[in-house]
Amino acid sequence: MYGVEVIMIPDKIKNIILDKPYTEDKIGMSDSRVMMFREYVLKIEKYRKENDETIRVMRWLEGKLPVPKIIAYETDGTNQYTLMSRIQGKMACDTYYLEHPDELVELLADALKKLWSVDISDCPRNRDLEAELREAKYRVENDLVDVDHMEPTTFGECGRFKNPKELLKWLEEHKPDYEPVLSHGDFCLPNVFFENGKVTGYIDLGDTGIGDRWRDIALCYRSLKHNFDGSFGGKEYPGFNADILFDKLEIEPNWEKLDYYIMLDELF
């Protein structure tokens, strides 16, 4: 596409992107609008106070990890407009990587280890379990949980829980031990980029901060399973076993924590 719809875009950003060609990114489950330029990405979404924290984290991460550089950030109180540098490389869910699973999982394990190696002593955002549960409770109490996009065994007549309220109660009563690291918060395949055998970037950092390493592992594990079984993307890649993630990370799977963090994510 050529020429941006400029009516609602703040002047500071409009002056940078005006008349530049772009495409729109439809990957993912966010309700944001994402406009992809050759050098930039413009993300337009509803303003929340928490978005200010995301911008602080992204600026704090510059030089620590390959993350988008904030070019401009504006809000009109209703929407926020974030213009960022564009990450190079291919998403981890690109067909090439799904056809080369050993290479993919090796790179994902490396991407996780790089996250966890960052010193969190001055990290400007805390996303520990108590913070997550507070937000989950707010979402449940305000009917913000999308029950139509869940694991098929979570709710319903044959599900583990009757409704989000019952799931929240279970989460509050079964809190696991906490292993704090720098956590991406939504470590799914579309949010990590690779090129030439290296991690080139992390995107969608809205939940990034100090958190439990097993949340990252759980969401990565689920994303691997569903990208290969056809739940995401619509194409099945048979013969893949997501358990090789634990081999690449050189850890034993903690199935209770994996289950806990997958269930926690159902409320987001």
Side-chain angles (χ1 to χ4, degrees), residues 98 101-102 104-106 108-109 112 189 214 216-229 237-255 258 262:
L98 296 177
D102 285 341
L104 168 62
V105 180
E106 187 78 47
L108 287 169
L112 286 167
L189 269 59
W214 283 94
D216 287 338
I217 297 170
L219 299 193
C220 182
Y221 182 77
R222 182 185 63 184
S223 188
L224 276 169
K225 289 180 65 176
H226 288 338
N227 273 277
F228 278 90
D229 69 17
Y237 296 82
F240 175 76
N241 183 355
D243 291 6
I244 67 171
L245 176 65
F246 308 116
D247 296 332
K248 300 296 185 181
L249 288 171
E250 301 177 295
I251 60 173
E252 291 295 323
N254 185 324
W255 297 110
L258 289 166
I262 289 173

Side-chain angles (χ1 to χ4, degrees), residues 149-160 226 231 266:
H149 292 91
M150 298 282 179
E151 294 292 319
T153 57
T154 301
F155 298 125
E157 293 183 4
C158 299
R160 293 170 58 184
H226 288 338
S231 299
E266 295 285 60

Side-chain angles (χ1 to χ4, degrees), residues 32 43 45-62 67-70 73 80 82 84 123-127 135 182-185 202-209:
S32 306
K43 188 171 186 179
E45 56 194 321
K46 293 294 183 184
Y47 175 74
R48 297 187 307 150
K49 185 178 179 181
E50 291 82 358
N51 292 331
D52 296 336
E53 296 180 1
T54 300
I55 299 300
R56 283 196 292 273
V57 168
M58 291 178 69
R59 287 176 170 152
W60 176 77
L61 282 171
E62 287 182 21
V67 299
K69 179 179 176 62
I70 303 296
Y73 170 64
Q80 78 164 27
T82 309
M84 303 166 278
C123 179
R125 190 183 215 183
N126 183 5
R127 295 287 300 186
E135 186 170 341
L182 177 67
S183 167
H184 182 284
Y202 305 82
I203 65 169
D204 283 356
L205 302 164
D207 293 322
T208 300

Side-chain angles (χ1 to χ4, degrees), residues 4-267:
V4 177
E5 300 168 39
V6 298
I7 296 174
M8 300 301 294
I9 296 175
D11 288 343
K12 183 176 180 180
I13 295 175
K14 186 195 312 180
N15 293 336
I16 299 173
I17 62 175
L18 190 62
D19 296 329
K20 288 182 170 60
Y22 70 96
T23 58
E24 294 215 28
D25 182 5
K26 304 293 186 181
I27 295 176
M29 300 177 67
S30 168
D31 58 1
S32 306
R33 183 176 182 186
V34 180
M35 305 167 72
M36 309 290 293
F37 300 84
R38 185 174 67 86
E39 297 176 333
Y40 308 116
V41 175
L42 175 60
K43 188 171 186 179
I44 305 172
E45 56 194 321
K46 293 294 183 184
Y47 175 74
R48 297 187 307 150
K49 185 178 179 181
E50 291 82 358
N51 292 331
D52 296 336
E53 296 180 1
T54 300
I55 299 300
R56 283 196 292 273
V57 168
M58 291 178 69
R59 287 176 170 152
W60 176 77
L61 282 171
E62 287 182 21
K64 298 180 175 70
L65 290 173
V67 299
K69 179 179 176 62
I70 303 296
I71 307 299
Y73 170 64
E74 301 287 328
T75 179
D76 57 16
T78 300
N79 295 314
Q80 78 164 27
Y81 307 81
T82 309
L83 185 67
M84 303 166 278
S85 61
R86 181 169 178 172
I87 293 294
Q88 300 304 307
K90 296 179 178 179
M91 288 181 176
C93 56
D94 186 85
T95 300
Y96 169 82
Y97 291 113
L98 296 177
E99 292 176 348
H100 297 82
D102 285 341
E103 180 180 354
L104 168 62
V105 180
E106 187 78 47
L107 286 166
L108 287 169
D110 184 45
L112 286 167
K113 291 175 183 178
K114 280 181 166 59
L115 271 170
W116 303 337
S117 69
V118 174
D119 181 1
I120 58 174
S121 59
D122 63 343
C123 179
R125 190 183 215 183
N126 183 5
R127 295 287 300 186
D128 65 13
L129 187 51
E130 295 304 320
E132 297 283 351
L133 288 173
R134 283 195 299 271
E135 186 170 341
K137 183 177 181 179
Y138 176 85
R139 292 179 59 80
V140 170
E141 291 178 346
N142 289 274
D143 198 27
L144 298 175
V145 178
D146 184 359
V147 296
D148 294 326
H149 292 91
M150 298 282 179
E151 294 292 319
T153 57
T154 301
F155 298 125
E157 293 183 4
C158 299
R160 293 170 58 184
F161 305 99
K162 295 178 182 178
N163 50 50
K165 185 176 181 180
E166 185 174 276
L167 170 54
L168 176 63
K169 185 173 186 294
W170 180 85
L171 291 166
E172 291 172 336
E173 293 175 349
H174 293 81
K175 290 183 286 189
D177 295 336
Y178 182 48
E179 299 178 47
V181 293
L182 177 67
S183 167
H184 182 284
D186 190 17
F187 197 96
C188 301
L189 269 59
N191 292 339
V192 194
F193 284 67
F194 307 126
E195 189 172 58
N196 298 325
K198 295 182 179 179
V199 181
T200 56
Y202 305 82
I203 65 169
D204 283 356
L205 302 164
D207 293 322
T208 300
I210 301 172
D212 194 313
R213 77 174 67 238
W214 283 94
R215 177 161 190 175
D216 287 338
I217 297 170
L219 299 193
C220 182
Y221 182 77
R222 182 185 63 184
S223 188
L224 276 169
K225 289 180 65 176
H226 288 338
N227 273 277
F228 278 90
D229 69 17
S231 299
F232 301 157
K235 181 179 178 180
E236 184 177 358
Y237 296 82
F240 175 76
N241 183 355
D243 291 6
I244 67 171
L245 176 65
F246 308 116
D247 296 332
K248 300 296 185 181
L249 288 171
E250 301 177 295
I251 60 173
E252 291 295 323
N254 185 324
W255 297 110
E256 290 184 2
K257 278 196 168 186
L258 289 166
D259 177 61
Y260 184 91
Y261 281 106
I262 289 173
M263 288 299 100
L264 173 62
D265 197 61
E266 295 285 60
L267 299 180

